[in-house]
């Protein structure tokens, strides 16, 4: 029973939130006349000491006290005696854990906001340095159109911006205090829930005491947001792995972020990126695990809910570490602009530009332009040459109005530079987006 029941091994993580909640609760009990000034002072002092002992690693957590709440209270009793017994007036471990965990998830949202912002800052700096570096933009992993590296990186800045707003939404919605719900039904004592809510930085008390002790949707929401963010990191990590590969050689990571092989001396493996790519599985697993834990649970509290913590804690650690690793890699990476350019300048990547030329200069409907360009691509492919290598006669044969002038539209730089539409890949446009991103995110 003890082995399956005890939670102190992991919920000790909540000591800070637990003690902050108890201090606010004690103040409130005093204010409404349920604790004398002396009792309240003793409790405050005792709780401060417990907090300090834990911070300094001197606190002895005991399985016999089951969880963080009873460990703290037991030590408080050792320290101050009888008044410790009054702290739990008008409170239950049910609203206590609901409070502690909510506060913890709120802190996690705040920390992640900073972690994600740091990655955005690193990306924006790299984007700034390489606003005009050309690389192949892909669809289906096939060369599609030339893009700039700055533009590519800014795509992740946007995704991460939405991740931040998801955590901010989660934080906004969870910021109501469950304290005072007591076991589930409320309490006969004349407590002041507004006061404790305010003291703990909540917007208001939760409206329904049963909801207060039974709900963990804020943790689900947190894990959903973490999973989505992890998905973004995983995609970016995969790109780092690709870009690092011998076939691409678009970027280099220093030894700080790669590992060698115990057998192949030439190896420089992007292990950190591979691990970030993998970690999203744990995040999705945490979300799934909590969701399955909660489904079908009748109101209100059931001990099942004790199992909400480990996946959530683990997910937070995983995501925070992944973000740190990505930030480190982005700051560390050096760009091989020549390799990117070489890769971009192949595979008929400017075929769309030729079609656009036919539309803009000869007034053709895009569908016809697409068809004519397709025929020229086929011709060049058969000849084993590029579009720009086709002769004037070849061009004229495809369409009488098509002259050598069109070749100026076939360079990868030109192709990128012309994409000046809002949000497009042209270096000038990217620099504008960088300035805007700094304003919005940093
Ligand atoms: N350790 C418990 C948890 O994490 C705290 C609440 C326990 N409440 C109870 N009535 N047993 O959920």
């Amino acid at each position: 029973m003890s082995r399956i029941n005890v939670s102190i091994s992991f919920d000790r993580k909540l000591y800070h939130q637990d003690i902050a909640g108890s201090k606010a609760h004690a103040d409130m009990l005093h204010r409404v006349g349920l604790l004398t000034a002396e009792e309240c002072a003793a409790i405050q002092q005792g709780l401060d000491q417990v907090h300090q002992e834990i911070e300094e690693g001197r606190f002895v957590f005991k399985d016999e006290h089951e969880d963080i709440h009873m460990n703290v209270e037991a030590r408080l009793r050792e320290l101050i005696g009888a008044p410790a017994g009054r702290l739990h007036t008008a409170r239950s471990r049910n609203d206590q854990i609901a409070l502690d965990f909510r506060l913890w998830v709120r802190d996690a949202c705040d920390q992640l906001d900073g972690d994600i912002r740091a990655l955005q800052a690193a990306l924006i700096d790299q984007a700034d340095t390489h606003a005009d570096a050309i690389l192949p933009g892909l669809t289906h992993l096939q060369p599609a159109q030339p893009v700039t590296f700055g533009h590519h990186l800014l795509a992740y800045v946007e995704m991460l911006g939405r991740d931040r707003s998801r955590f901010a939404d989660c934080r906004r919605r969870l910021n109501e205090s469950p304290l005072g719900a007591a076991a589930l039904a409320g309490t006969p004592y004349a407590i002041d829930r507004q006061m404790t809510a305010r003291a703990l930085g909540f917007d208001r008390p939760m409206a329904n005491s049963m909801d207060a002790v039974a709900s963990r949707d804020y943790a689900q929401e947190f894990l959903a947001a973490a999973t989505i963010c992890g998905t973004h990191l995983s995609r970016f990590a995969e790109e780092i792995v690709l870009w690092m590969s011998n076939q691409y050689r678009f970027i280099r990571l220093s030894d700080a972020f790669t590992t060698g092989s115990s057998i192949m001396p030439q190896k420089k493996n992007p292990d950190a990126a591979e691990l970030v790519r993998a970690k999203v599985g744990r995040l999705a697993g945490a979300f799934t695990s909590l969701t399955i834990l909660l489904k079908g649970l009748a109101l209100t509290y059931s001990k099942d809910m004790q199992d909400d913590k480990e996946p959530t804690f683990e997910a937070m650690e995983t995501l925070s570490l992944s973000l740190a690793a990505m930030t480190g890699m982005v700051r560390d990476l050096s760009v091989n602009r020549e390799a990117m350019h070489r890769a971009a300048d192949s595979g008929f990547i400017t075929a769309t530009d030729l079609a656009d030329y036919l539309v803009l200069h000869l007034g053709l409907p895009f569908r016809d332009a697409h068809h004519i360009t397709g025929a020229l691509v086929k011709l060049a492919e058969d000849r084993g040459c590029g579009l720009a290598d086709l002769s004037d006669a070849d061009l004229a044969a495809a369409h009488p109005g098509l002259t050598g002038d069109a070749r100026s539209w076939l360079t990868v730089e030109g192709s990128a530079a012309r994409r000046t539409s809002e949000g497009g890949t042209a270096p000038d446009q990217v620099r504008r987006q960088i300035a805007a991103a700094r304003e919005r995110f940093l």
Side-chain angles (χ1 to χ4, degrees):
M1 176 58 190
S2 170
R3 277 176 56 205
I4 194 165
N5 195 43
V6 167
S7 58
I8 190 61
S9 64
F10 53 86
D11 68 15
R12 64 174 65 181
K13 234 187 167 60
L14 299 171
Y15 74 90
H16 178 74
Q17 291 79 7
D18 193 73
I19 291 172
S22 289
K23 287 174 66 79
H25 183 64
D27 272 341
M28 184 277 293
L29 290 179
H30 168 48
R31 177 76 66 90
V32 303
L34 290 165
L35 284 180
T36 65
E38 297 71 43
E39 286 165 339
C40 182
I43 288 171
Q44 295 297 347
Q45 234 165 40
L47 287 170
D48 286 340
Q49 180 167 343
V50 173
H51 191 268
Q52 192 173 348
E53 289 178 3
I54 297 175
E55 294 265 281
E56 291 170 2
R58 289 187 286 121
F59 190 94
V60 187
F61 291 102
K62 295 194 183 123
D63 278 2
E64 63 188 273
H65 298 314
E66 198 180 315
D67 57 25
I68 184 62
H69 323 304
M70 299 210 289
N71 268 269
V72 170
E73 191 180 318
R75 179 63 183 142
L76 185 65
R77 183 180 299 276
E78 281 176 14
L79 291 172
I80 68 167
R86 294 192 181 274
L87 173 60
H88 214 51
T89 311
R91 189 174 71 169
S92 152
R93 279 189 294 157
N94 294 350
D95 62 339
Q96 203 177 350
I97 189 61
L99 171 70
D100 294 4
F101 197 36
R102 210 170 259 269
L103 286 173
W104 189 91
V105 172
R106 191 177 76 181
D107 289 345
C109 287
D110 290 342
Q111 194 203 306
L112 286 172
D113 187 68
D115 292 349
I116 300 174
R117 183 180 178 281
L119 177 53
Q120 286 181 304
L123 285 164
I124 290 172
D125 285 347
Q126 282 285 7
D128 214 349
T129 311
H130 300 290
D132 59 352
I134 307 280
L135 77 163
L138 312 178
T139 62
H140 314 269
L141 210 64
Q142 306 282 328
Q145 291 174 348
V147 295
T148 50
F149 193 53
H151 191 223
H152 195 129
L153 296 182
L154 286 182
Y156 286 107
V157 172
E158 292 299 319
M159 294 176 227
L160 293 166
R162 291 193 294 278
D163 291 333
R164 281 173 73 184
S165 82
R166 266 181 280 273
F167 284 114
D169 279 348
C170 172
R171 189 200 199 283
R172 208 170 301 126
R173 243 184 310 279
L174 73 68
N175 204 30
E176 296 183 341
S177 174
L179 192 58
L184 75 162
T187 175
Y189 301 99
I191 57 171
D192 183 348
R193 294 190 62 208
Q194 299 286 342
M195 179 179 167
T196 45
R198 226 176 302 119
L200 293 164
F202 288 111
D203 297 329
R204 64 193 79 84
M206 290 179 77
N208 181 295
S209 65
M210 294 178 75
D211 176 41
V213 295
S215 292
R216 296 291 183 269
D217 53 295
Y218 60 89
Q220 278 183 292
E221 210 173 326
F222 174 78
L223 293 173
T227 303
I228 296 173
C229 181
T231 313
H232 294 150
L233 298 187
S234 185
R235 295 182 75 167
F236 187 34
E238 164 66 1
E239 298 209 296
I240 289 181
V241 172
L242 283 174
W243 294 338
M244 278 283 289
S245 72
N246 196 42
Q247 286 73 17
Y248 280 72
R249 290 175 178 278
F250 284 4
I251 61 167
R252 257 181 66 93
L253 287 173
S254 76
D255 289 348
F257 282 95
T258 54
T259 62
S261 151
S262 54
I263 174 169
M264 299 165 283
Q266 84 282 13
K267 292 287 256 181
K268 243 169 112 65
N269 298 324
D271 295 37
E274 293 167 79
L275 286 163
V276 171
R277 187 173 58 186
K279 297 281 187 210
V280 63
R282 295 185 189 228
L283 301 174
F287 174 77
T288 306
S289 143
L290 179 58
T291 301
I292 294 174
L293 181 164
L294 291 168
K295 79 161 277 298
L297 276 191
L299 300 188
T300 55
Y301 180 85
S302 292
K303 196 64 175 251
D304 307 52
M305 288 156 82
Q306 176 165 292
D307 254 7
D308 58 2
K309 286 166 211 71
E310 284 164 293
T312 310
F313 292 161
E314 211 237 17
M316 170 60 187
E317 225 164 275
T318 297
L319 182 55
S320 179
L321 176 59
S322 297
L323 286 161
M326 289 308 270
T327 304
M329 280 186 279
V330 171
R331 292 245 174 251
D332 180 84
L333 67 84
S334 55
V335 172
N336 184 345
R337 295 170 68 111
E338 295 71 42
M340 284 184 177
H341 191 276
R342 214 175 309 122
D345 209 356
S346 69
F348 307 106
I349 198 161
T350 53
T352 317
D353 293 83
L354 187 55
D356 290 337
Y357 176 91
L358 291 168
V359 171
L360 286 167
H361 285 74
L362 304 179
L364 266 58
F366 185 80
R367 280 291 156 230
D368 298 351
H370 182 276
H371 182 76
I372 292 166
T373 308
L376 285 168
V377 166
K378 170 111 187 33
L379 181 65
E381 208 166 25
D382 290 346
R383 298 232 185 106
C385 69
L387 276 175
D389 304 319
L390 293 174
S391 70
D392 286 1
D394 294 331
L395 298 179
H399 187 279
L402 193 56
T403 66
D405 174 54
R407 282 195 200 93
S408 66
W409 273 57
L410 296 175
T411 67
V412 291
E413 288 80 8
S415 169
R418 274 190 300 276
R419 287 185 162 66
T420 51
S421 53
E422 188 174 341
T425 208
D428 283 350
Q429 177 59 228
V430 168
R431 288 190 189 99
R432 219 165 299 146
Q433 290 163 29
I434 288 168
R438 285 195 197 281
E439 282 286 309
R440 289 160 63 210
F441 298 126
L442 305 184

